Amino acid sequence: MSDKTNPYNTSARADILAAFFHLVMNNMTDRKTLANAVRVLAMDAVQKANSGHPGAPMGMADIAEVLFNDFLSHNPANPHWANRDRFIMSNGHGSMLLYAVLHLSGYDLTIEDIKQFRQLHSKTPGHPEYGYTPGIETTTGPLGQGIANAVGMALAEKILGATYNQPGHQIINHYTYVFLGDGCLMEGISHEVCSLAGTLKLGKLIAIYDDNNISIDGEVDGWFTDDTAARFEAYHWHVIRDIDGHDASAVKRALQEAQSNTEQPTLICAKTIIGSGAPNKAGSHDCHGAPLGVDEVAATRDALGWSYPPFEIPSEVYAGWNATNKGQQEESIWQTQMKAYQKAHPELATELKRRLAGHLPTAWSEKVDDFLNQVILDGPEMATRKASKLALEGFGPLLPELFGGSADLTPSNNTYWSGSRSINEEMLNGAPFGGNYLSYGVREFGMSAIMNGMALYGGFIPYGATFLMFSEYARNALRMAALMKIRSIFVYTHDSIGVGEDGPTHQPVEQLPTLRMIPNMHVWRPCDAVESVVAWKNAIEKKDGPSCLLFTRQGVKHQQRNNRQVQNISKGGYVLADCNKIPELIIIATGSEIEIAMEATKELQSQGKQVRLVSMPCAEQFEQQSNDYKQEVLPNSCQKRLAIEAAQGDFWHKYVGLNGHIISQNTFGESAPGSVLFKHFGFTSKRVIEGAQRLLEQ
């Protein structure tokens, strides 16, 4: 596009801005006044905080006004109404737009909260954070993840509707709306998830692209010249091109057109001016991520004809925005529909309510214990990735909310159990949309963020799998799950150099300890089928955060336990093999290395050594136990300790001390059979015995 035809290049901007401000000042409508309330709240809050991003809120204010006042079905008095439309601001740096519209619409977000923008413990943090502010559907800021979460929410809506809606009873029936900018579209995750959204025909997903041609570094023409519309058409999206984002009528028509297409997700490409309303900084990266400044704020008030002081909104503007009465009426109509649905389909209604509430089935604990007892008695010897599938076979029939998937590694990850129904296969066969399993394709990051969206939506316990090595691709989505304290279950197989012949590109070394570094993440590395089942049980029952389940490619031996030991697995660490007296040495191990550690422990005990073996499948869970229990397992009286784990080993100094001994994998691996590599790198009972003897001799 040339300068002559592109109004967002510098050469044409002055004339466009002059015409725009003339229109604002001389033809201001009531609708424009409502939008201007968003602009002034955004610029005032950023100015007061002396920090923030006023450009996007001011540029998208007109679009937000049309969406919230004419289309969005929501109830400010009940932000958790199940059938509400979801709204996600993927370009989360523009958070003041979201805070402004939530405040104006009637949510429990006061003008004092707006004044505390970006301050400690406020309800208006720098980027939208799930759980802090009513009406915030997900935490956004890392660009691209908001649209990914939205794909997960739209997917959840479509599956839940296909599962529970009945003729004459459309109980789950709403839209998912997303705002996103150039940055979201540059991030690779947007390619992963938007491609999949088109394939899955998520027709109730509507994204509005803030096409303002500006990012932090300036005009994006030097680094982002994609034909975005063509790209999304190639993804099989419905694309509405070149909408004037400051023309309420044009925005309204575009949204109506988007709603009319239920077979494709829609991208509305809205041309906007960043910082719209600011006479000297609009259209420039100067207003992207910095306050406008006192003089420009004053000039903007004059340009907009806004005569009120900072943070003062006239009553008629509040009245124009307030959505409480309308929202309560909409929810009341839905509640009436729900009562009719419950009368016609009582079992479905009861199950849907349970799932949306996040409760496990009433018989969960009893049936899980029965299944675990069966696993203990059978004592199968297998790779823990196969034990993971065994757990799914036991838990899957109990949990219709369990939704699985894999990033193109289903046969290797063992995530498809006998009750799985593939959405992909059913779509290809022309069946109605539904199922409980999704082949995500090679999209580790996208898969993980979509899972987060499903967890946030409610009614699902999502799990998704890949090799542990490729958790690297998904890392920021894992962090976001932990930050939001949501129940996403990340399954990682091929957890060490035991991968074997695929070599160091596929052999994780540093991944396990760095996953443990994520606050609120529980990382389970079970040693056999029994610990694998318990790991799954704990991940399912943990409602306040995500879990990583790490499983072996190679087979492992079943370990004998008594009932108390089985119960203590859920505590994250427990005594697997004990000595007759007070231990003089404690060996700590996880996963496949338990087998080696057990052989060494038995040999040392046969030599008369007082050696205890502790299995530590989940250190985070162990740390949550009482001090008495932790002392029972790892008493201070025994300071001679040895840890063994086929991963980078610095983590274990926490438990063995600086003078303890650690057998770990501190270099990259090699390409050879896994058993050969374990011997090559010293993961043998002989080496454990030698290390133990050195400690005992000190």
Side-chain angles (χ1 to χ4, degrees):
M1 181 179 290
S2 69
D3 285 356
K4 292 181 179 180
T5 58
N6 181 2
Y8 303 97
N9 281 338
T10 306
S11 59
R13 185 180 297 128
D15 291 340
I16 293 293
L17 292 181
F20 174 76
F21 291 128
H22 177 79
L23 178 66
V24 168
M25 295 177 67
N26 295 287
N27 298 286
M28 183 177 289
T29 64
D30 290 340
R31 171 146 262 172
K32 186 65 74 172
T33 301
L34 297 180
N36 285 342
V38 175
R39 291 187 171 95
V40 296
L41 282 176
M43 72 176 183
D44 286 344
V46 171
Q47 189 64 39
K48 183 176 185 296
N50 197 30
S51 172
H53 300 75
M58 297 176 74
M60 298 194 78
D62 299 298
I63 301 171
E65 189 277 322
V66 174
L67 176 63
F68 270 73
N69 288 325
D70 290 6
F71 290 89
L72 200 72
S73 180
H74 64 122
N75 182 7
N78 181 15
H80 303 293
W81 169 34
N83 199 48
R84 68 191 181 277
D85 287 338
R86 270 57 169 183
F87 172 73
I88 295 91
M89 190 154 189
S90 190
N91 46 344
H93 54 272
S95 58
M96 262 313 305
L97 180 145
L98 187 47
Y99 299 145
V101 297
L102 292 175
H103 166 70
L104 293 166
S105 297
Y107 283 81
D108 183 19
L109 192 68
T110 68
I111 197 67
E112 293 303 317
D113 293 321
I114 299 294
K115 291 178 182 179
Q116 292 301 306
F117 178 55
R118 290 190 160 220
Q119 303 309 301
L120 183 63
H121 302 315
S122 76
K123 293 167 72 172
T124 50
H127 290 81
E129 293 187 38
Y130 176 74
Y132 272 65
T133 314
I136 301 296
E137 301 286 359
T138 182
T139 299
T140 56
L143 294 176
Q145 286 205 64
I147 179 63
N149 294 164
V151 171
M153 293 177 188
L155 176 62
E157 189 271 345
K158 190 168 184 177
I159 297 170
L160 216 58
T163 304
Y164 289 99
N165 289 346
Q166 298 295 316
H169 299 278
Q170 298 298 302
I171 297 303
I172 302 297
N173 182 22
H174 65 81
Y175 291 91
T176 300
Y177 297 98
V178 191
F179 283 1
L180 71 165
D182 293 305
C184 291
L185 295 177
M186 283 186 259
E187 286 286 359
I189 190 174
S190 71
H191 297 258
E192 295 184 25
V193 301
C194 293
S195 168
L196 188 59
T199 297
L200 296 176
K201 301 179 180 180
L202 301 181
K204 291 183 181 176
L205 174 62
I206 299 174
I208 303 176
Y209 166 33
D210 180 26
D211 185 8
N212 61 31
N213 205 51
I214 295 292
S215 67
I216 291 177
D217 281 359
E219 295 183 25
V220 301
D221 290 341
W223 50 87
F224 184 55
T225 57
D226 299 12
D227 186 339
T228 298
R231 168 186 155 193
F232 274 75
E233 286 169 346
Y235 292 156
H236 308 295
W237 283 53
H238 172 209
V239 177
I240 303 174
R241 297 171 178 250
D242 298 328
I243 297 302
D244 182 348
H246 302 296
D247 182 340
S249 297
V251 172
K252 186 172 183 177
R253 287 193 300 271
L255 285 165
Q256 289 170 334
E257 181 182 336
Q259 287 188 340
S260 70
N261 186 342
T262 59
E263 293 299 312
Q264 294 174 285
T266 295
L267 179 72
I268 298 173
C269 300
K271 292 288 187 181
T272 64
I273 299 173
I274 191 171
S276 171
N280 301 302
K281 293 189 176 182
S284 165
H285 69 279
D286 291 341
C287 65
H288 172 91
L292 296 182
V294 174
D295 292 342
E296 186 71 357
V297 167
T300 303
R301 275 187 157 73
D302 290 341
L304 297 177
W306 190 271
S307 59
Y308 306 97
F311 303 108
E312 182 177 318
I313 304 295
S315 58
E316 59 269 24
V317 172
Y318 276 122
W321 270 100
N322 194 284
T324 301
N325 290 338
K326 178 184 175 185
Q328 289 176 331
Q329 291 173 2
E330 290 176 332
E331 182 176 356
S332 178
I333 292 171
W334 181 82
Q335 292 289 359
T336 300
Q337 294 171 340
M338 190 67 187
K339 289 178 182 178
Y341 176 72
Q342 190 164 5
K343 184 176 181 180
H345 305 281
E347 292 183 2
L348 286 176
T350 299
E351 186 71 358
L352 175 60
K353 286 183 177 181
R354 178 192 68 78
R355 286 180 60 170
L356 290 174
H359 300 317
L360 294 175
T362 304
W364 165 256
S365 296
E366 178 184 349
K367 291 185 177 180
V368 166
D369 289 342
D370 290 343
F371 175 67
L372 182 57
N373 289 332
Q374 178 184 340
V375 175
I376 294 168
L377 291 173
D378 290 346
E381 297 187 6
M382 59 178 66
T384 55
R385 62 172 173 155
K386 293 184 178 179
S388 172
K389 183 176 181 179
L390 180 69
L392 287 170
E393 292 288 355
F395 298 153
L398 309 177
L399 297 170
E401 58 264 49
L402 202 60
F403 185 89
S406 175
D408 203 46
L409 287 168
T410 293
S412 295
N413 297 148
N414 282 271
T415 42
Y416 195 92
W417 57 284
S418 60
S420 293
R421 288 175 49 219
S422 169
I423 288 177
N424 315 77
E425 292 181 9
E426 294 194 5
M427 284 185 63
L428 289 173
N429 293 330
F433 194 90
N436 61 1
Y437 192 88
L438 182 63
S439 291
Y440 287 91
V442 187
R443 298 180 175 99
E444 297 89 354
F445 191 6
M447 172 183 72
S448 304
I450 287 171
M451 288 166 53
N452 289 346
M454 297 185 75
L456 288 161
Y457 183 92
F460 293 91
I461 301 176
Y463 69 92
T466 184
F467 291 170
L468 177 56
M469 185 66 248
F470 305 132
S471 65
E472 294 292 337
Y473 286 127
R475 184 58 64 103
N476 201 253
L478 272 64
R479 185 177 188 274
M480 296 296 280
L483 181 63
M484 292 188 282
K485 300 179 181 178
I486 57 177
R487 181 169 46 185
S488 294
I489 301 176
F490 304 103
V491 178
Y492 296 122
T493 67
H494 298 59
D495 71 342
S496 71
I497 56 172
V499 170
E501 293 87 342
D502 278 340
T505 61
H506 284 54
Q507 294 167 4
V509 173
E510 73 276 21
Q511 285 66 37
L512 170 54
T514 56
L515 288 174
R516 287 180 176 136
M517 293 170 65
I518 302 174
N520 202 42
M521 177 69 76
H522 279 197
V523 181
W524 289 84
R525 188 171 185 249
C527 73
D528 65 0
V530 177
E531 285 191 1
S532 297
V533 170
V534 173
W536 264 107
K537 173 180 180 291
N538 278 269
I540 289 168
E541 292 178 350
K542 179 176 168 58
K543 297 182 179 181
D544 60 351
S547 300
C548 291
L549 307 182
L550 279 52
F551 300 115
T552 66
R553 179 195 182 213
Q554 71 274 22
V556 294
K557 290 183 178 179
H558 170 72
Q559 301 297 326
Q560 295 294 328
R561 302 172 182 82
N562 58 37
N563 288 335
R564 185 169 185 271
Q565 287 173 312
V566 172
Q567 292 174 356
N568 285 342
I569 296 172
S570 288
K571 296 180 179 179
Y574 65 103
V575 178
L576 180 59
D578 212 354
C579 45
N580 298 323
K581 301 178 181 179
I582 296 174
E584 54 183 333
L585 173 71
I586 298 175
I587 298 175
I588 311 170
T590 74
S592 53
E593 291 76 76
I594 283 287
E595 185 176 321
I596 300 164
M598 181 64 79
E599 292 174 2
T601 299
K602 290 180 177 179
E603 175 60 28
L604 289 164
Q605 289 176 344
S606 72
Q607 298 173 9
K609 308 297 184 183
Q610 298 302 315
V611 179
R612 168 180 290 181
L613 173 59
V614 171
S615 177
M616 188 83 74
C618 182
E620 299 79 24
Q621 186 82 341
F622 180 71
E623 287 299 323
Q624 292 180 356
Q625 307 309 309
S626 67
N627 287 330
D628 288 345
Y629 178 77
K630 288 188 282 189
Q631 278 295 308
E632 180 184 328
V633 176
L634 297 174
N636 287 334
S637 58
C638 181
Q639 292 296 308
K640 293 183 178 181
R641 300 178 182 182
L642 182 153
I644 174 172
E645 188 172 64
Q648 206 283 336
D650 288 350
F651 167 83
W652 290 105
H653 285 294
K654 177 177 183 177
Y655 294 106
V656 305
L658 295 178
N659 296 321
H661 186 56
I662 301 171
I663 298 174
S664 57
Q665 183 68 30
N666 296 326
T667 67
F668 293 118
E670 298 283 353
S671 179
S675 58
V676 173
L677 292 176
F678 264 63
K679 291 179 182 178
H680 174 73
F681 287 108
F683 292 96
T684 64
S685 59
K686 179 182 178 182
R687 187 180 175 197
V688 176
I689 292 168
E690 291 171 349
Q693 289 172 337
R694 285 196 299 271
L695 282 172
L696 290 169
E697 291 169 359
Q698 291 178 0

